[in-house]
Amino acid sequence: MRWEARQCKAVMTVDLEEHKLNKPIAVVQKQVKATAPKGFTPSLESQQNLMASFSKLRAHIATLRASGKIPRPPIVLPGIKKREEWCKLCFGNSFQLALLKQSSQDSMQPQLIEGQQPLLSILLNIKQKGIENLLEWHAQWLEVLGFSEAQGRWFYALLACLEKPLTPESCSQIRHIAMMCAKIRASLETADHPHLSQLNVIICIVARYFCQEDLVDH
């Protein structure tokens, strides 16, 4: 071992290949929430009242789950991987009609069929993986067609049933939803827009209840 040590140089040098060092480095920029126009954000008191009522609903849901006395759903629910069937359940055929309108097709459109309300008897019969899937799909539907009152109700109900602690995937998903809602809010022309209150509710819940402090409206 001593002989081997004497054969080693006191200082080792390495030939570096400069072309490998000069490769560009990808920089991931953190998303920033869109700034709301003046007068579009809820007051602190309104946000606190919302958190109180939302927490009360969550406690009620937890009590029902613990009791095991979960009411039967009024309809047969699709499997947790049946995205198209869930789209029809949530929106009826309004999603299909909106796509037809976007494509500017002149053919006669079918009569509007309303979707299901997000009843507790439906949501409590969906496993947590199904809740997470629905949030992901609703985010995709939001990106395609924009915000609607029906979707606002579903977002609220799904967030009420989303269990804590969040998985990294669920946390990323609800942050993405809140970011999109903030972007839509920033594009509204007036504070009287019918979607504003629902958008504010979703942003507030994600930011305050699920502790995403950088998304809080101050």
Side-chain angles (χ1 to χ4, degrees):
M1 290 179 65
R2 290 178 181 175
W3 180 84
E4 288 179 338
R6 285 196 297 270
Q7 305 311 306
C8 294
K9 296 181 181 179
V11 178
M12 299 295 291
T13 61
V14 178
D15 292 329
L16 298 176
E17 298 180 46
E18 290 189 6
H19 71 279
K20 291 184 178 180
L21 294 177
N22 294 329
K23 287 184 177 181
I25 299 173
V27 177
V28 178
Q29 291 185 338
K30 183 179 179 181
Q31 283 190 312
V32 178
K33 185 182 74 170
T35 302
K38 186 177 181 180
F40 279 48
T41 57
S43 66
L44 177 58
E45 182 181 1
S46 296
Q47 294 183 63
Q48 290 171 337
N49 290 338
L50 170 61
M51 286 299 94
S53 62
F54 185 71
S55 297
K56 187 175 180 180
L57 173 60
R58 298 258 312 183
H60 177 59
I61 290 171
T63 300
L64 287 173
R65 281 174 171 161
S67 70
K69 298 177 181 178
I70 296 174
R72 294 176 63 84
I75 55 174
V76 177
L77 301 181
I80 62 170
K81 295 183 179 179
K82 304 288 187 179
R83 180 170 65 173
E84 290 186 6
E85 292 182 28
W86 275 106
C87 185
K88 291 177 182 177
L89 186 148
C90 295
F91 301 120
N93 67 346
S94 61
F95 195 85
Q96 176 192 2
L97 292 176
L99 287 176
L100 288 172
K101 186 176 180 180
Q102 280 191 357
S103 64
S104 301
Q105 294 186 10
D106 296 328
S107 58
M108 185 178 294
Q109 295 188 356
Q111 186 177 356
L112 175 64
I113 300 173
E114 297 289 345
Q116 275 285 335
Q117 296 288 331
L119 306 173
L120 277 181
S121 56
I122 292 177
L123 290 154
L124 289 175
N125 283 282
I126 304 173
K127 293 182 179 179
Q128 200 57 204
K129 179 58 179 174
I131 297 291
E132 293 170 1
N133 285 352
L134 279 168
L135 279 168
E136 179 182 354
W137 296 338
H138 271 275
Q140 294 169 357
W141 298 330
L142 175 63
E143 288 188 90
V144 173
L145 292 178
F147 191 80
S148 68
E149 291 184 22
Q151 192 170 49
R153 290 191 290 269
W154 273 97
F155 272 134
Y156 182 86
L158 290 168
L159 289 170
C161 293
L162 183 64
E163 294 180 355
K164 296 171 77 174
L166 299 176
T167 64
E169 293 78 13
S170 292
C171 182
S172 176
Q173 192 63 65
I174 65 172
R175 283 184 59 84
H176 179 54
I177 290 167
M179 288 283 197
M180 286 194 290
C181 288
K183 185 177 180 180
I184 294 169
R185 179 178 65 181
S187 70
L188 300 180
E189 294 182 357
T190 69
D192 297 327
H193 197 287
H195 292 167
L196 180 60
S197 60
Q198 284 185 311
L199 292 167
N200 280 337
V201 164
I202 295 165
I203 295 167
C204 181
I205 289 172
V206 172
R208 293 191 179 274
Y209 190 86
F210 291 101
C211 305
Q212 305 303 306
E213 299 296 333
D214 60 313
L215 302 181
V216 170
D217 286 326
H218 295 288

